[in-house]
Amino acid sequence: MISTAQKHKKFELTPPQILVLGFAAIILLGTILLTLPFSSADGLPTPVLDALFTATSAACVTGLVVVDTGLHWSLFGKIVIIIMIQVGGLGFMTMSTLFAFVLKKRISLKERLILQEAMNQGSMEGIVRLIRKVLVYSLTIELAGAILFAIRWSFDLGVARGIGYGFFHAISFFNNAGFDLFGAVSGPFTGLTSYADDALVNVVSMALIVLGGLGFVVLSDLLEFKQKRRLSLHSKVVLSASGLLIVLGAIVIFAFEYSNTRTLGPLGWDGKVLASFFQSVSPRTAGANSVDMAGLRQASQLFIIILMFIGASPGSTGGGVKTTTFTVLVGAMIAMIRGKEDIVLFRSRLGKDRILKAITLTMLALFLVMIVTMLLSTTEDHSFLMILFEVTSAFGTVGLSMGLTPDLSTFGKVMIALTMFAGRLGPLTLAYALGPKAEKELYRYPEGKITIG
């Protein structure tokens, strides 16, 4: 006989399952709100699939859109989108913890486990303290960015509109969402192309994107560096990998696009450098663009696909397989070539479990991107590179687009929405949520050998 307690435990949701259902609930609520007539600028109900796609993109902080954000949505619709971006970027558990702090409610063990899963932490130790820091850092950085944007755009758009645009884009860029309102200023789906050589807009945007993409553990380490006088291994890896990818990306894009009349060609020297760095930073899951993605040379588009697949860092507002995963894989390759047994980073040896997790995550991500790309190649009448670009952008929760998303078929919209959902939660979290509960192995098989390579 199975006791009542055993039955209850059997059907108890795991932290990964709660995260999946929580994000699904946020998307459902956002879809309902965005279908309402007063959510659109023309006062007509938005088709359910378009509202679902937009809600998924906002909650998963992606930025891919089937309708122009600045033109299609009313003030109410834009407020719904930016709230979903904030909740989706910081995580619904982080936001619920904020309300618990306000109400002086105790954080239960179950909630701490979910927060640990949501923040991708190895243990529960200090998790509530980390969440407090996340909230303070996020709101402070977003406010600083909003003020700087508002000052700049007040000259072009007027004070009221400049302030509104400042807050919207500060929240969107810090959360690596990529939603922008400039379709209402410079034309549908134009992004920040009219500010490609504007130093203030570029620098503030890149700062918000990078700070949001580093991860809150790294931000905490940096702010406490004066007291501790040291950085954790995680922070060293993230900062090194992020810096290298940004500089390398800017150099590659500058070299490939220098003479391209559709992108960097018409810009002056300063504009070329700014735009190169912006296009290198943005694929790290931010999704904003200051040049036309469709106008890039194919070499640049393929390189940006690689950057989007790598993505941001763990515990951040960004997606992708993460910089640490990429670093572990590169480290494994170097160790194998050099005939070493261990992967050593900054004089620290990595455990085998970290290596296996990096390989598993990368393979799951590759399978997801390739399968969705193959499916869309049969339903969408566009080039393979264009489809791969869009799918990778969805998986990495980036939001950069070569113009395919508005033309997607019904099946295409559903597949891209599902890819955004899987990319935001992470393939491993989704696999844990959908798969059977792991049980401890009672025995091990004898070791066998196969030939590799």
Side-chain angles (χ1 to χ4, degrees), residues 12 20 136 175 236 328 365:
E12 189 176 2
V20 171
V136 172
N175 286 287
K236 290 177 182 177
V328 170

Side-chain angles (χ1 to χ4, degrees), residues 10 86 97 133 177 184 191 197 213 221 275 290-291 330 338 350 378 429:
K10 184 178 179 181
Q86 186 74 85
T97 305
K133 291 178 181 177
D197 55 356
D221 261 10
S290 61
V291 299
V330 172
R338 296 176 63 187
L350 296 184
T378 64
T429 299

Side-chain angles (χ1 to χ4, degrees), residues 259-333:
S259 59
N260 187 348
T261 56
R262 297 181 63 186
T263 55
L264 303 187
L267 302 175
W269 178 261
D270 293 345
K272 284 180 168 66
V273 172
L274 281 173
S276 297
F277 271 97
F278 194 93
Q279 264 56 236
S280 176
V281 169
S282 189
R284 310 298 306 291
T285 85
N289 62 290
S290 61
V291 299
D292 180 18
M293 291 291 106
L296 293 170
R297 293 192 168 110
Q298 289 189 346
S300 300
Q301 291 168 347
L302 181 58
F303 184 74
I304 286 174
I305 287 173
I306 296 170
L307 292 179
M308 292 193 295
F309 186 78
I310 296 171
S313 302
S316 71
T317 59
V321 296
K322 304 297 191 293
T323 52
T324 48
T325 302
F326 174 71
T327 304
V328 170
L329 294 178
V330 172
M333 179 184 69

Side-chain angles (χ1 to χ4, degrees), residues 157-180:
L157 310 173
V159 176
R161 201 177 184 188
I163 292 172
Y165 272 48
F167 275 93
F168 186 97
H169 291 87
I171 294 171
S172 177
F173 292 169
F174 177 74
N175 286 287
N176 280 222
F179 279 81
D180 73 85

Side-chain angles (χ1 to χ4, degrees), residues 135-168:
L135 293 167
V136 172
Y137 297 164
S138 301
L139 297 177
T140 303
I141 293 169
E142 287 173 352
L143 180 61
I147 292 171
L148 291 172
F149 276 150
I151 293 171
R152 172 64 186 87
W153 287 328
S154 290
F155 291 100
D156 296 343
L157 310 173
V159 176
R161 201 177 184 188
I163 292 172
Y165 272 48
F167 275 93
F168 186 97

Side-chain angles (χ1 to χ4, degrees), residues 93-405:
M93 279 305 300
T94 304
M95 298 306 293
S96 64
T97 305
L98 171 61
F99 290 114
F101 289 155
V102 172
L103 299 173
K104 296 183 179 180
K105 178 180 174 291
R106 186 177 175 276
I107 311 299
S108 68
L109 177 62
K110 180 76 172 180
E111 290 167 334
R112 290 170 192 262
L113 284 169
I114 300 168
L115 286 169
Q116 177 192 337
E117 181 72 27
M119 298 302 295
N120 200 17
Q121 296 300 296
S123 70
M124 287 190 298
E125 185 180 356
I127 192 67
V128 175
R129 186 166 62 252
L130 175 62
I131 296 302
R132 283 198 182 97
K133 291 178 181 177
V134 166
L135 293 167
V136 172
Y137 297 164
S138 301
L139 297 177
T140 303
I141 293 169
E142 287 173 352
L143 180 61
I147 292 171
L148 291 172
F149 276 150
I151 293 171
R152 172 64 186 87
W153 287 328
S154 290
F155 291 100
D156 296 343
L157 310 173
V159 176
R161 201 177 184 188
I163 292 172
Y165 272 48
F167 275 93
F168 186 97
H169 291 87
I171 294 171
S172 177
F173 292 169
F174 177 74
N175 286 287
N176 280 222
F179 279 81
D180 73 85
L181 304 178
F182 282 95
V185 178
S186 50
F189 307 108
T190 50
L192 295 176
T193 52
S194 57
Y195 290 94
D197 55 356
D198 189 298
L200 178 62
V201 172
N202 277 265
V203 171
V204 174
S205 299
M206 287 189 284
L208 288 168
I209 293 166
V210 170
L211 290 172
L214 285 177
F216 299 107
V217 173
V218 178
L219 289 180
S220 178
D221 261 10
L222 288 173
L223 290 172
E224 295 175 1
F225 181 73
K226 283 187 177 180
Q227 290 79 29
K228 295 182 177 180
R229 304 304 300 174
R230 65 181 179 85
L231 293 174
S232 65
L233 174 63
H234 172 80
S235 295
K236 290 177 182 177
V237 171
V238 166
L239 291 170
S240 301
S242 298
L244 179 63
L245 287 170
I246 289 171
V247 173
L248 177 62
I251 292 171
V252 170
I253 292 169
F254 183 88
F256 286 158
E257 301 297 320
Y258 184 86
S259 59
N260 187 348
T261 56
R262 297 181 63 186
T263 55
L264 303 187
L267 302 175
W269 178 261
D270 293 345
K272 284 180 168 66
V273 172
L274 281 173
S276 297
F277 271 97
F278 194 93
Q279 264 56 236
S280 176
V281 169
S282 189
R284 310 298 306 291
T285 85
N289 62 290
S290 61
V291 299
D292 180 18
M293 291 291 106
L296 293 170
R297 293 192 168 110
Q298 289 189 346
S300 300
Q301 291 168 347
L302 181 58
F303 184 74
I304 286 174
I305 287 173
I306 296 170
L307 292 179
M308 292 193 295
F309 186 78
I310 296 171
S313 302
S316 71
T317 59
V321 296
K322 304 297 191 293
T323 52
T324 48
T325 302
F326 174 71
T327 304
V328 170
L329 294 178
V330 172
M333 179 184 69
I334 294 172
M336 179 60 68
I337 292 171
R338 296 176 63 187
K340 304 290 185 181
E341 287 190 10
D342 298 322
I343 300 175
V344 179
L345 300 173
F346 295 98
R347 298 183 180 180
S348 295
R349 175 176 55 85
L350 296 184
K352 300 295 183 185
D353 62 318
R354 300 293 91 187
I355 302 167
L356 287 174
K357 186 173 183 179
I359 294 170
T360 303
L361 175 59
T362 304
M363 292 306 296
L364 285 172
L366 278 172
F367 286 148
L368 175 64
V369 170
M370 289 299 103
I371 289 169
V372 176
T373 301
M374 283 190 292
L375 290 172
L376 294 189
S377 294
T378 64
T379 62
E380 313 302 316
D381 187 20
H382 290 277
S383 69
F384 175 80
L385 186 61
M386 194 175 192
I387 293 170
L388 178 61
F389 190 99
E390 220 79 4
V391 172
T392 309
S393 179
F395 163 73
T397 68
V398 180
L400 289 175
S401 174
M402 289 171 60
L404 172 61
T405 303

Side-chain angles (χ1 to χ4, degrees), residues 27 47-54 56-57 60 64-66 368 371-373 375-376 379-380 390-391 394-395 404-423 430:
I27 291 169
V48 174
L49 186 56
D50 289 349
L52 173 64
F53 191 98
T54 304
T56 304
S57 186
C60 298
L64 288 175
V65 290
V66 289
L368 175 64
I371 289 169
V372 176
T373 301
L375 290 172
L376 294 189
T379 62
E380 313 302 316
E390 220 79 4
V391 172
F395 163 73
L404 172 61
T405 303
D407 298 332
L408 286 170
S409 63
T410 299
F411 178 79
K413 290 177 183 178
V414 172
M415 290 307 300
I416 290 293
L418 289 174
T419 305
M420 290 190 288
F421 187 71
L430 208 56

